[in-house]
Amino acid sequence: MQRPRKNVSKELLAEKAKMIRRETVKLTDICGSGHYGSAFSMAELVAALYYEFMHVDPGDPQWMDRDRFTMGKGHAAIGLFPVLADLGFFSWDELYSYTRLGSPFGDHPDMRKVKGADFSSGSIGHNLSVSVGMALGLRRRKSPARVICLMGDGEQAEGQVWEAAMSAAHFGLGNLLGIVDINKVGSDGDVSETMNNEPLHEKWRAFGWDVERIDGHDPDAVGDALNWGLNADRDKPAIILADTVAGKGVSFMEHRWQWHLGYLGPADRDRALEEIEKGLS
Amino acid sequence: MNTVYDTIRNPAVDMAESTVQTDFDDKSWDMVGSLNLSLQLPTGEALIELVEQGHDDIVVCTADLGRPTQVINFGKRYPDRYFNFGIAERNMIGAAAGLATTGHLPVISNYSFFLALMGAENIRNDIAYPNLKVRMVGTHSGIAMGFYGTSHHCNEDIGLLRAIANLTVMAPCDAMTVRLALKSTLDHDGPIYFRVGRGREAPIYEQPPEWRIGGSHQLRDGKDATIFAIGNLVKASLDAHDILAGEGIGLRVVDAYSIRPIDEAAILSAAKAHGVILSAEEHNITSGFGSAVAEVLASHGVSAKLVRIGMPDQYSLLGPPTHLYKHYGLDGEGVAAKVRDALKAG
């Protein structure tokens, strides 16, 4: 079923991407440890998804016909939580309990505790499989909803991803959109050195998916690709391979695997926040 | 000479699919013929009945084992409710979790060793952690696969799954209780793992017993000792009861089908009655069902002798299943011998 594209300004999306980065810094400040790099690399993608494309209802988080967003890269949930707070799934005050004893909000999302989190994650490579099940179930229920699974590029090393990829094509899941946030770094360094996964385009195409490769920070490219992936009719799954920059938006973090996980002391935090507000040229 | 085709007729098996024709040797059989013998695995039939009764949420997931685990009949009847993921168990488990979030009750039917051992992490993170209503039927548990070898034996699933929070673990021991297990637990909102055999076990029940999570069912009473048995060992224990009765030894036999949660009251009551307790399972006695029985006795400070019957802490020899059961003392004679020893030492 085709869906109309919502009318959202570029300025608003840019502001929301900034918010994701700003709040990631603030939340990390609470616990003294956070996944900056991955949250920053996905910011434009997540902003466009939630503010321009996804059909969700903060007043009814379990609405059966909502679009689902699952995170293969659950460690980037710190960048998702601010969006859910901003949309009204929960209050900012609740979010600022982040990682404190008994808080619903930890480094990885818990679907039973965080309103708006469509599935728990943290074990890399699981959630495309979960998304396949969601897409099968929604199709059986004749729901117009779409399922979006955001994966990392390091995640492509997990064998289960390719089990899921094969099954999604086999079942003809046109209601399933994969996104790979190709930020090129992981815990141990550059993904290409740790375990090369390219050529991803050819791999996904060979597994039977429609594939687009884009610049994941170019708002026009992101918008067009999500419109292609979510609003068109198709009889097979689609995937967006989004080339991104780890730590995008903060000069000393960009392209650096060292900031996959870390903490900024007060002076560096302020420097990072300043760069995020101004925007790097 | 009777063939597997005409000695037993399993109504769940579509004999038209067999390639063995009348001009074949009487001893020849193919997949279809062998499935005919699995009369104690009525999963597909039970689920068909549930859908017919209006349970619109039921879907079935398997990983290229829909035939040996006897859900292929469900798939033929309801193709839109049947998802075969190929040999990709982890993907299947994750997808079942996803299905459960869309108003479906997924029933996974697969060999226990590929489901519970290979899939342990997926069961934990995708199903048990979010506490999703999923049913898992792990078949061919223990050493039921005999000479197919250690890779196909499953003597560790209870130990693994018993440590996973939110997960209920039960062991129906025959066709009657497989049906009962699936049907009577529909209201339970969390996940359940049903540990079952390969379907060739002896039927135990003629009438459905009471069946509840945390329950057990006493099949025989006896004055000298109680045996809590699961799966195949229920039949072995009943046989032992009869053997020992001839010797004047009274053995209480309890089908301890609810492994987690376990029926604490029944265990404590047995300890009070005669102080000699045996556990019996087709599973490694390390971290198995017997360990759960031991936990109950120890944590209540109850003084009783506990003898754990099961697989020793090593990989099984290869051999035909019935030969293995005899070798490891998991048949009636073997259980009876353990009871005699326990009473002598006691």
Side-chain angles (χ1 to χ4, degrees), chain A residues 174-199:
Chain A
N175 54 349
L176 175 61
L177 174 68
I179 301 174
V180 186
D181 175 2
I182 306 175
N183 65 23
K184 303 170 190 65
V185 304
S187 292
D188 267 355
D190 292 343
V191 168
S192 61
E193 290 183 13
T194 304
M195 182 51 65
N196 178 46
N197 56 37
E198 295 286 1

PDB file of all heavy atoms in Angstrom, chain A residues 174-199:
ATOM      1  N   GLY A 174       7.502  -7.069   1.803  1.00  0.00           N
ATOM      2  CA  GLY A 174       7.543  -5.703   1.292  1.00  0.00           C
ATOM      3  C   GLY A 174       7.265  -4.654   2.351  1.00  0.00           C
ATOM      4  O   GLY A 174       7.431  -3.457   2.104  1.00  0.00           O
ATOM      5  N   ASN A 175       6.855  -5.098   3.539  1.00  0.00           N
ATOM      6  CA  ASN A 175       6.594  -4.154   4.638  1.00  0.00           C
ATOM      7  C   ASN A 175       7.793  -4.020   5.575  1.00  0.00           C
ATOM      8  O   ASN A 175       7.675  -3.465   6.661  1.00  0.00           O
ATOM      9  CB  ASN A 175       5.350  -4.580   5.436  1.00  0.00           C
ATOM     10  CG  ASN A 175       5.432  -6.024   5.944  1.00  0.00           C
ATOM     11  OD1 ASN A 175       6.312  -6.787   5.555  1.00  0.00           O
ATOM     12  ND2 ASN A 175       4.492  -6.385   6.804  1.00  0.00           N
ATOM     13  N   LEU A 176       8.931  -4.530   5.153  1.00  0.00           N
ATOM     14  CA  LEU A 176      10.132  -4.503   5.993  1.00  0.00           C
ATOM     15  C   LEU A 176      11.214  -3.647   5.337  1.00  0.00           C
ATOM     16  O   LEU A 176      11.541  -3.838   4.162  1.00  0.00           O
ATOM     17  CB  LEU A 176      10.660  -5.930   6.192  1.00  0.00           C
ATOM     18  CG  LEU A 176      11.989  -6.085   6.941  1.00  0.00           C
ATOM     19  CD1 LEU A 176      11.894  -5.542   8.368  1.00  0.00           C
ATOM     20  CD2 LEU A 176      12.411  -7.558   6.974  1.00  0.00           C
ATOM     21  N   LEU A 177      11.716  -2.695   6.120  1.00  0.00           N
ATOM     22  CA  LEU A 177      12.825  -1.856   5.645  1.00  0.00           C
ATOM     23  C   LEU A 177      14.019  -2.027   6.576  1.00  0.00           C
ATOM     24  O   LEU A 177      13.902  -1.802   7.784  1.00  0.00           O
ATOM     25  CB  LEU A 177      12.414  -0.375   5.613  1.00  0.00           C
ATOM     26  CG  LEU A 177      13.552   0.605   5.277  1.00  0.00           C
ATOM     27  CD1 LEU A 177      14.012   0.444   3.826  1.00  0.00           C
ATOM     28  CD2 LEU A 177      13.129   2.055   5.542  1.00  0.00           C
ATOM     29  N   GLY A 178      15.134  -2.413   6.018  1.00  0.00           N
ATOM     30  CA  GLY A 178      16.377  -2.437   6.785  1.00  0.00           C
ATOM     31  C   GLY A 178      17.159  -1.162   6.521  1.00  0.00           C
ATOM     32  O   GLY A 178      17.055  -0.566   5.456  1.00  0.00           O
ATOM     33  N   ILE A 179      17.899  -0.733   7.505  1.00  0.00           N
ATOM     34  CA  ILE A 179      18.820   0.395   7.318  1.00  0.00           C
ATOM     35  C   ILE A 179      20.149  -0.033   7.939  1.00  0.00           C
ATOM     36  O   ILE A 179      20.166  -0.531   9.076  1.00  0.00           O
ATOM     37  CB  ILE A 179      18.319   1.673   8.016  1.00  0.00           C
ATOM     38  CG1 ILE A 179      16.938   2.078   7.487  1.00  0.00           C
ATOM     39  CG2 ILE A 179      19.323   2.814   7.814  1.00  0.00           C
ATOM     40  CD1 ILE A 179      16.313   3.260   8.241  1.00  0.00           C
ATOM     41  N   VAL A 180      21.216   0.137   7.204  1.00  0.00           N
ATOM     42  CA  VAL A 180      22.527  -0.111   7.807  1.00  0.00           C
ATOM     43  C   VAL A 180      23.222   1.238   7.962  1.00  0.00           C
ATOM     44  O   VAL A 180      23.426   1.965   6.983  1.00  0.00           O
ATOM     45  CB  VAL A 180      23.400  -1.051   6.941  1.00  0.00           C
ATOM     46  CG1 VAL A 180      24.698  -1.383   7.697  1.00  0.00           C
ATOM     47  CG2 VAL A 180      22.646  -2.334   6.616  1.00  0.00           C
ATOM     48  N   ASP A 181      23.512   1.560   9.210  1.00  0.00           N
ATOM     49  CA  ASP A 181      24.234   2.794   9.535  1.00  0.00           C
ATOM     50  C   ASP A 181      25.725   2.470   9.388  1.00  0.00           C
ATOM     51  O   ASP A 181      26.353   1.947  10.307  1.00  0.00           O
ATOM     52  CB  ASP A 181      23.876   3.193  10.974  1.00  0.00           C
ATOM     53  CG  ASP A 181      24.659   4.406  11.464  1.00  0.00           C
ATOM     54  OD1 ASP A 181      25.450   4.965  10.679  1.00  0.00           O
ATOM     55  OD2 ASP A 181      24.476   4.782  12.636  1.00  0.00           O
ATOM     56  N   ILE A 182      26.257   2.782   8.217  1.00  0.00           N
ATOM     57  CA  ILE A 182      27.642   2.375   7.917  1.00  0.00           C
ATOM     58  C   ILE A 182      28.584   3.469   8.420  1.00  0.00           C
ATOM     59  O   ILE A 182      29.046   4.328   7.662  1.00  0.00           O
ATOM     60  CB  ILE A 182      27.812   2.125   6.403  1.00  0.00           C
ATOM     61  CG1 ILE A 182      26.748   1.121   5.917  1.00  0.00           C
ATOM     62  CG2 ILE A 182      29.217   1.588   6.107  1.00  0.00           C
ATOM     63  CD1 ILE A 182      26.739   0.896   4.423  1.00  0.00           C
ATOM     64  N   ASN A 183      28.852   3.422   9.728  1.00  0.00           N
ATOM     65  CA  ASN A 183      29.727   4.451  10.298  1.00  0.00           C
ATOM     66  C   ASN A 183      31.188   3.992  10.377  1.00  0.00           C
ATOM     67  O   ASN A 183      32.055   4.729  10.808  1.00  0.00           O
ATOM     68  CB  ASN A 183      29.208   4.934  11.668  1.00  0.00           C
ATOM     69  CG  ASN A 183      29.236   3.838  12.723  1.00  0.00           C
ATOM     70  OD1 ASN A 183      29.982   2.876  12.625  1.00  0.00           O
ATOM     71  ND2 ASN A 183      28.407   3.992  13.748  1.00  0.00           N
ATOM     72  N   LYS A 184      31.368   2.738   9.971  1.00  0.00           N
ATOM     73  CA  LYS A 184      32.720   2.219   9.681  1.00  0.00           C
ATOM     74  C   LYS A 184      33.606   1.983  10.888  1.00  0.00           C
ATOM     75  O   LYS A 184      34.799   1.697  10.716  1.00  0.00           O
ATOM     76  CB  LYS A 184      33.438   3.121   8.662  1.00  0.00           C
ATOM     77  CG  LYS A 184      32.657   3.261   7.350  1.00  0.00           C
ATOM     78  CD  LYS A 184      33.193   4.323   6.424  1.00  0.00           C
ATOM     79  CE  LYS A 184      32.248   4.570   5.263  1.00  0.00           C
ATOM     80  NZ  LYS A 184      30.938   5.134   5.661  1.00  0.00           N
ATOM     81  N   VAL A 185      33.045   2.085  12.099  1.00  0.00           N
ATOM     82  CA  VAL A 185      33.883   1.782  13.265  1.00  0.00           C
ATOM     83  C   VAL A 185      33.143   0.848  14.229  1.00  0.00           C
ATOM     84  O   VAL A 185      31.924   0.759  14.225  1.00  0.00           O
ATOM     85  CB  VAL A 185      34.306   3.052  14.042  1.00  0.00           C
ATOM     86  CG1 VAL A 185      35.005   4.039  13.136  1.00  0.00           C
ATOM     87  CG2 VAL A 185      33.112   3.685  14.749  1.00  0.00           C
ATOM     88  N   GLY A 186      33.915   0.164  15.039  1.00  0.00           N
ATOM     89  CA  GLY A 186      33.362  -0.690  16.085  1.00  0.00           C
ATOM     90  C   GLY A 186      34.260  -0.617  17.309  1.00  0.00           C
ATOM     91  O   GLY A 186      35.181   0.215  17.362  1.00  0.00           O
ATOM     92  N   SER A 187      34.025  -1.499  18.253  1.00  0.00           N
ATOM     93  CA  SER A 187      34.779  -1.455  19.503  1.00  0.00           C
ATOM     94  C   SER A 187      36.282  -1.592  19.296  1.00  0.00           C
ATOM     95  O   SER A 187      37.076  -0.949  19.979  1.00  0.00           O
ATOM     96  CB  SER A 187      34.337  -2.604  20.422  1.00  0.00           C
ATOM     97  OG  SER A 187      33.037  -2.397  20.856  1.00  0.00           O
ATOM     98  N   ASP A 188      36.659  -2.447  18.377  1.00  0.00           N
ATOM     99  CA  ASP A 188      38.077  -2.751  18.224  1.00  0.00           C
ATOM    100  C   ASP A 188      38.780  -1.901  17.171  1.00  0.00           C
ATOM    101  O   ASP A 188      39.972  -2.084  16.932  1.00  0.00           O
ATOM    102  CB  ASP A 188      38.258  -4.236  17.863  1.00  0.00           C
ATOM    103  CG  ASP A 188      38.474  -5.087  19.102  1.00  0.00           C
ATOM    104  OD1 ASP A 188      38.578  -4.508  20.200  1.00  0.00           O
ATOM    105  OD2 ASP A 188      38.539  -6.313  18.962  1.00  0.00           O
ATOM    106  N   GLY A 189      38.040  -1.023  16.492  1.00  0.00           N
ATOM    107  CA  GLY A 189      38.684  -0.195  15.479  1.00  0.00           C
ATOM    108  C   GLY A 189      37.821  -0.080  14.237  1.00  0.00           C
ATOM    109  O   GLY A 189      36.584  -0.157  14.322  1.00  0.00           O
ATOM    110  N   ASP A 190      38.466   0.106  13.101  1.00  0.00           N
ATOM    111  CA  ASP A 190      37.725   0.242  11.849  1.00  0.00           C
ATOM    112  C   ASP A 190      37.141  -1.110  11.445  1.00  0.00           C
ATOM    113  O   ASP A 190      37.836  -2.133  11.469  1.00  0.00           O
ATOM    114  CB  ASP A 190      38.651   0.757  10.748  1.00  0.00           C
ATOM    115  CG  ASP A 190      39.091   2.200  11.021  1.00  0.00           C
ATOM    116  OD1 ASP A 190      38.443   2.865  11.857  1.00  0.00           O
ATOM    117  OD2 ASP A 190      40.072   2.650  10.413  1.00  0.00           O
ATOM    118  N   VAL A 191      35.871  -1.069  11.058  1.00  0.00           N
ATOM    119  CA  VAL A 191      35.193  -2.310  10.679  1.00  0.00           C
ATOM    120  C   VAL A 191      35.942  -3.013   9.548  1.00  0.00           C
ATOM    121  O   VAL A 191      36.093  -4.234   9.536  1.00  0.00           O
ATOM    122  CB  VAL A 191      33.732  -2.009  10.270  1.00  0.00           C
ATOM    123  CG1 VAL A 191      33.093  -3.221   9.608  1.00  0.00           C
ATOM    124  CG2 VAL A 191      32.918  -1.580  11.491  1.00  0.00           C
ATOM    125  N   SER A 192      36.474  -2.232   8.612  1.00  0.00           N
ATOM    126  CA  SER A 192      37.145  -2.844   7.460  1.00  0.00           C
ATOM    127  C   SER A 192      38.375  -3.632   7.883  1.00  0.00           C
ATOM    128  O   SER A 192      38.777  -4.582   7.218  1.00  0.00           O
ATOM    129  CB  SER A 192      37.532  -1.771   6.447  1.00  0.00           C
ATOM    130  OG  SER A 192      38.435  -0.849   7.046  1.00  0.00           O
ATOM    131  N   GLU A 193      38.968  -3.240   8.991  1.00  0.00           N
ATOM    132  CA  GLU A 193      40.133  -3.986   9.481  1.00  0.00           C
ATOM    133  C   GLU A 193      39.733  -5.143  10.392  1.00  0.00           C
ATOM    134  O   GLU A 193      40.352  -6.197  10.383  1.00  0.00           O
ATOM    135  CB  GLU A 193      41.070  -3.037  10.253  1.00  0.00           C
ATOM    136  CG  GLU A 193      41.774  -2.054   9.352  1.00  0.00           C
ATOM    137  CD  GLU A 193      42.763  -1.174  10.110  1.00  0.00           C
ATOM    138  OE1 GLU A 193      43.068  -1.499  11.270  1.00  0.00           O
ATOM    139  OE2 GLU A 193      43.202  -0.173   9.528  1.00  0.00           O
ATOM    140  N   THR A 194      38.703  -4.918  11.182  1.00  0.00           N
ATOM    141  CA  THR A 194      38.272  -5.972  12.113  1.00  0.00           C
ATOM    142  C   THR A 194      37.662  -7.142  11.355  1.00  0.00           C
ATOM    143  O   THR A 194      38.064  -8.292  11.545  1.00  0.00           O
ATOM    144  CB  THR A 194      37.239  -5.417  13.114  1.00  0.00           C
ATOM    145  OG1 THR A 194      37.826  -4.297  13.786  1.00  0.00           O
ATOM    146  CG2 THR A 194      36.848  -6.468  14.138  1.00  0.00           C
ATOM    147  N   MET A 195      36.672  -6.837  10.510  1.00  0.00           N
ATOM    148  CA  MET A 195      36.056  -7.869   9.654  1.00  0.00           C
ATOM    149  C   MET A 195      35.358  -7.149   8.499  1.00  0.00           C
ATOM    150  O   MET A 195      34.264  -6.604   8.659  1.00  0.00           O
ATOM    151  CB  MET A 195      35.041  -8.712  10.450  1.00  0.00           C
ATOM    152  CG  MET A 195      34.392  -9.849   9.660  1.00  0.00           C
ATOM    153  SD  MET A 195      35.568 -10.922   8.795  1.00  0.00           S
ATOM    154  CE  MET A 195      36.440 -11.661  10.178  1.00  0.00           C
ATOM    155  N   ASN A 196      36.032  -7.182   7.366  1.00  0.00           N
ATOM    156  CA  ASN A 196      35.480  -6.471   6.211  1.00  0.00           C
ATOM    157  C   ASN A 196      34.134  -7.062   5.803  1.00  0.00           C
ATOM    158  O   ASN A 196      33.989  -8.275   5.720  1.00  0.00           O
ATOM    159  CB  ASN A 196      36.470  -6.575   5.048  1.00  0.00           C
ATOM    160  CG  ASN A 196      35.937  -5.889   3.810  1.00  0.00           C
ATOM    161  OD1 ASN A 196      35.440  -4.778   3.887  1.00  0.00           O
ATOM    162  ND2 ASN A 196      36.013  -6.561   2.684  1.00  0.00           N
ATOM    163  N   ASN A 197      33.138  -6.206   5.583  1.00  0.00           N
ATOM    164  CA  ASN A 197      31.819  -6.705   5.194  1.00  0.00           C
ATOM    165  C   ASN A 197      31.412  -6.297   3.776  1.00  0.00           C
ATOM    166  O   ASN A 197      30.365  -6.671   3.303  1.00  0.00           O
ATOM    167  CB  ASN A 197      30.758  -6.233   6.192  1.00  0.00           C
ATOM    168  CG  ASN A 197      30.739  -4.729   6.324  1.00  0.00           C
ATOM    169  OD1 ASN A 197      30.936  -4.007   5.342  1.00  0.00           O
ATOM    170  ND2 ASN A 197      30.503  -4.242   7.537  1.00  0.00           N
ATOM    171  N   GLU A 198      32.243  -5.512   3.129  1.00  0.00           N
ATOM    172  CA  GLU A 198      31.903  -5.079   1.768  1.00  0.00           C
ATOM    173  C   GLU A 198      32.185  -6.210   0.764  1.00  0.00           C
ATOM    174  O   GLU A 198      32.996  -7.083   1.049  1.00  0.00           O
ATOM    175  CB  GLU A 198      32.729  -3.828   1.402  1.00  0.00           C
ATOM    176  CG  GLU A 198      32.406  -2.621   2.254  1.00  0.00           C
ATOM    177  CD  GLU A 198      31.065  -1.978   1.919  1.00  0.00           C
ATOM    178  OE1 GLU A 198      30.346  -2.484   1.023  1.00  0.00           O
ATOM    179  OE2 GLU A 198      30.721  -0.988   2.568  1.00  0.00           O
ATOM    180  N   PRO A 199      31.534  -6.184  -0.368  1.00  0.00           N
ATOM    181  CA  PRO A 199      30.573  -5.180  -0.828  1.00  0.00           C
ATOM    182  C   PRO A 199      29.161  -5.467  -0.323  1.00  0.00           C
ATOM    183  O   PRO A 199      28.577  -6.475  -0.670  1.00  0.00           O
ATOM    184  CB  PRO A 199      30.634  -5.324  -2.352  1.00  0.00           C
ATOM    185  CG  PRO A 199      31.029  -6.752  -2.583  1.00  0.00           C
ATOM    186  CD  PRO A 199      31.831  -7.194  -1.395  1.00  0.00           C
TER     187      PRO A 199
END
